[in-house]
């Protein structure tokens, strides 16, 4: 089986995750999985940023509540890098609805409601590229060697 190419993906610990004091725990899961933090930022998403981030959902009934939630307090934005990082992070995040997300996933272990479901993760190469550019500029990315990279 091929090892998978190195990808970058966007993760947001959503305002509910930050308010619950889970940002460190969630980031730790990704670090332990050998994903590398290449950029990080604590910020409050503006309504304009939320509209761009969630443009694919603009016509959905849950959209107004989603924008209200994502702009309700700070998020921890992370650019994570690793082998097949986009798919690996989505697996770790779990299904959208925490009530049916598998135990062992972030939403399955910590969540109970759909809108405040703790975390966002890019779902494809195109989404990752588009979403990373909303939160990070070229100079935000750091280059360094993870000590466990040989085994990652
Ligand atoms: N969402 C919601 N109600 C729904 C579906 C989604 O409030 O019925 C919210 C939820 O916070 C979710 C976000 O909208 O994370 C984006 O939805 P998507 O289907 O892209 O889910 P995700 O990719 O985050 O799993
Ligand atoms: Mg999505």
């Amino acid at each position: 089986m091929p090892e998978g190419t190195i990808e970058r993906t966007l993760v947001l610990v959503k305002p509910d995750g930050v308010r619950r004091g889970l940002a460190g725990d969630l980031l730790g899961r990704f670090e332990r999985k050998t994903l590398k933090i290449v950029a990080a930022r604590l910020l409050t998403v503006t309504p304009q940023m939320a509209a761009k981030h969630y443009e694919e959902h603009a016509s959905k009934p849950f959209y107004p509540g989603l924008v209200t939630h994502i702009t309700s307090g700070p998020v921890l934005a992370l650019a994570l890098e690793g082998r097949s990082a986009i798919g690996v992070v989505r697996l770790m995040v779990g299904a959208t609805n925490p009530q049916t997300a598998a135990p062992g996933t972030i939403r399955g272990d910590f969540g109970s409601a759909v809108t405040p479901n703790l975390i966002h993760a890019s779902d494809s190469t195109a989404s990752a590229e588009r979403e990373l550019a909303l939160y990070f500029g070229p100079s935000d990315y750091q280059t360094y060697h993870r000590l466990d990279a040989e085994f990652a």
Side-chain angles (χ1 to χ4, degrees):
M1 198 173 288
E3 288 284 16
T5 54
I6 302 294
E7 297 174 343
R8 273 185 188 171
T9 190
L10 176 79
V11 165
L12 299 181
V13 178
K14 292 182 178 180
D16 55 310
V18 173
R19 279 195 291 265
R20 285 175 59 187
L22 291 171
D25 283 355
L26 303 189
L27 172 56
R29 287 187 172 214
F30 297 121
E31 284 193 289
R32 290 195 295 275
K33 180 66 180 170
T34 75
L35 290 154
K36 181 160 77 170
I37 309 164
V38 290
R41 212 183 140 198
L42 190 72
L43 74 149
T44 300
V45 175
T46 64
Q48 292 76 13
M49 288 174 76
K52 284 189 187 161
H53 181 130
Y54 285 121
E55 63 188 8
E56 68 178 306
H57 297 307
S59 62
K60 312 264 176 69
F62 60 81
Y63 179 77
L66 174 58
V67 171
T68 298
H69 176 59
I70 203 71
T71 58
S72 68
V75 302
L76 177 63
L78 302 166
L80 299 179
E81 192 176 277
R83 289 191 197 282
S84 306
I86 297 165
V88 165
V89 169
R90 289 285 291 189
L91 278 175
M92 293 175 71
V93 162
T96 304
N97 183 349
Q99 294 149 43
T100 51
T105 65
I106 288 168
R107 287 167 174 166
D109 283 353
F110 296 108
S112 58
V114 182
T115 300
N117 61 358
L118 292 148
I119 195 154
H120 166 83
S122 306
D123 65 5
S124 66
T125 310
S127 302
E129 206 166 295
R130 189 183 73 80
E131 293 171 2
L132 284 165
L134 287 175
Y135 292 87
F136 299 109
S139 65
D140 293 325
Y141 292 97
Q142 301 296 318
T143 303
Y144 64 101
H145 180 67
R146 264 284 290 254
L147 286 179
D148 55 0
E150 291 84 350
F151 313 107

